Amino acid sequence: MKARHLWALAIAMTLPACSGDGTGETGGGAGQCAAGGTGTLALDIESAVPADVRVSDGAGVVEGGTAAESRALSLPAGEYRVSAHRVRSAGEIVGPAYQGAIEGEDTVCVRDGETTTVAVRYTREPGSEKLWLTNTNGEGQILAFDADQLAAGGEQTPSVVLDAGLTSPTALRVDGAGRLWIGDRAGKVAVYDAARLGASSGDAPDAALGGRGVCETSSPCGPGAMAFDAEGALWVATLSRIVRIGPDAPGGDLQPEPEISLTSPDASRPVSLAFDAEGNLWVGDNATNAVVKFAAERLRASIVDEPADVVLLGQSGPPVVANLRGPQGLAFDADGNLWVGYFSGNQLVRYTPEERAASGTLTPEVLFDIDVLALVTDLAVDESGNLWMPGSAGSVYRIDAEELTKEEPALVALTSDAIGSAVKLTLNTVAGPTFIAP
């Protein structure tokens, strides 16, 4: 089973040995489930959306794909494992996700001439259809607003408030299993399982990460940014480096060792991270004010003080030509455009795939000066192509997709008395290279 599947939260159970006495019992160790002949594996699937149910033997997946209906498979007699994987459904802004579970045994013995049934049940993930944001109100809370609140805008009350016991959240991301990861300035990362994200809580998170994997030196040290790759591994930007932490399911208090470390003169103060559809890592750097790319094939091993593959420096156009500084927000849209928020001038920029193909200093075709009440410290693109950003004075802002083609796009505000000042945000269950379900 691939490592990324460990993050899917499909429920697996260890089974008793198959007796091999012809009684039709399931399970069994190697050599205890008789081969020879053909049997039937019936998948009893209950799901509101197309489900991802896979059947594997010792060599790999023999049946897989999405299908909401039950089905019967004719298979060579032998032992098989059934797994249910997380799926998502589209929405205008952010759609729901569903977790699958096997009822009873997930490893079964298919016998010649017999039918073995496995029940698979999918339930909606409680934390689905939400925008999460940090709240610098002195309490370090994390707030969530539901999809219908996001669509309506205006004054809203958070649907979920989490108090992870953090003092200064600095990074926020949802992984491919629906878990919420919160980085703190003190060098800690709190993790909440997907099942706990449907209601407010002041209880401790399900996992807490610390140590040199997420804190480069002494506190305060970050992490300043986080992103997940296609395998479910966590990439963390600290003071002067980026590290990869493997995709093992977390629990309890951990101090993970980095699998890969990346340092570069082009990214000596990394403050934002994002993966594109090809698996390349893009980094916003506060020291050089560049947005740089590290090619996917280089990310299999540590990179020590080596240059990036692409280095982009932005400039504003006439009448005032100036360098763009502080690339703190990064997000890709469905067309492969890279949106960058430059904090120093509160400017929003779009780099097309052609513009970001090679190193250079350029004035991008799309460049907006953003109202000072909105902050480009983080960016998120929803399923309709709308762009979201945090805000000061108790707000979060949206630019609708059709407005992104205009010279002066309109901002739609969602306001709340609960928000002091939002700095980081992330959408839950959005399909895209920075959030890939196993």
Side-chain angles (χ1 to χ4, degrees), residues 18 20 29-39 75-80 109-113:
C18 176
Q32 294 183 318
C33 184
T38 301
L75 298 171
E79 188 175 84
Y80 295 88
C109 184
V110 174
R111 301 181 183 282
D112 182 32

Side-chain angles (χ1 to χ4, degrees), residues 181-207:
W181 296 67
I182 309 162
D184 186 73
R185 186 169 177 263
K188 298 180 182 298
V189 176
V191 187
Y192 285 87
D193 286 344
R196 292 187 56 198
L197 298 178
S200 298
S201 174
D203 296 337
D206 296 282

Side-chain angles (χ1 to χ4, degrees), residues 16-32:
C18 176
S19 64
D21 59 5
T23 62
E25 292 182 7
T26 60
Q32 294 183 318

